[in-house]
């Protein structure tokens, strides 16, 4: 997954304002206690970060 796809999906799923908050403010235990942005900056695969968000927020499988 490309970073651009990540942001597009995030905004589509949560709306533009909430997407930013989910990515920057929410801390995910499955990402080592990091936010999504911190995890990506640390080198975790973008797809892994997206799936962690999906799990945490119960995004339906067909939208993952």
């Amino acid at each position: 997954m490309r970073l651009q796809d990540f942001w597009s999906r995030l905004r589509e799923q949560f709306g533009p304002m909430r997407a930013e908050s989910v990515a920057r403010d929410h801390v995910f235990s499955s990402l080592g206690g990091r936010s999504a942005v911190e995890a990506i900056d640390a080198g975790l695969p973008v797809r892994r970060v997206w799936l962690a968000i999906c799990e945490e927020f119960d995004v339906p499988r067909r939208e993952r």
Side-chain angles (χ1 to χ4, degrees):
M1 170 182 272
R2 299 164 93 189
L3 190 56
Q4 182 177 348
D5 295 333
F6 169 82
W7 283 107
S8 292
R9 289 182 186 202
L10 198 64
R11 288 182 184 111
E12 185 177 305
Q13 187 64 41
F14 296 100
M17 298 208 33
R18 185 162 182 232
E20 290 291 324
S21 178
V22 167
R24 297 183 190 287
D25 301 330
H26 190 86
V27 174
F28 297 86
S29 60
S30 62
L31 298 176
R34 300 178 182 121
S35 71
V37 170
E38 290 170 335
I40 291 169
D41 287 347
L44 271 68
V46 176
R47 180 77 177 157
R48 179 176 169 198
V49 174
W50 171 247
L51 291 175
I53 292 170
C54 291
E55 287 295 320
E56 184 84 12
F57 288 94
D58 295 321
V59 173
R61 289 224 180 261
R62 69 182 183 285
E63 296 176 23
R64 295 181 184 195

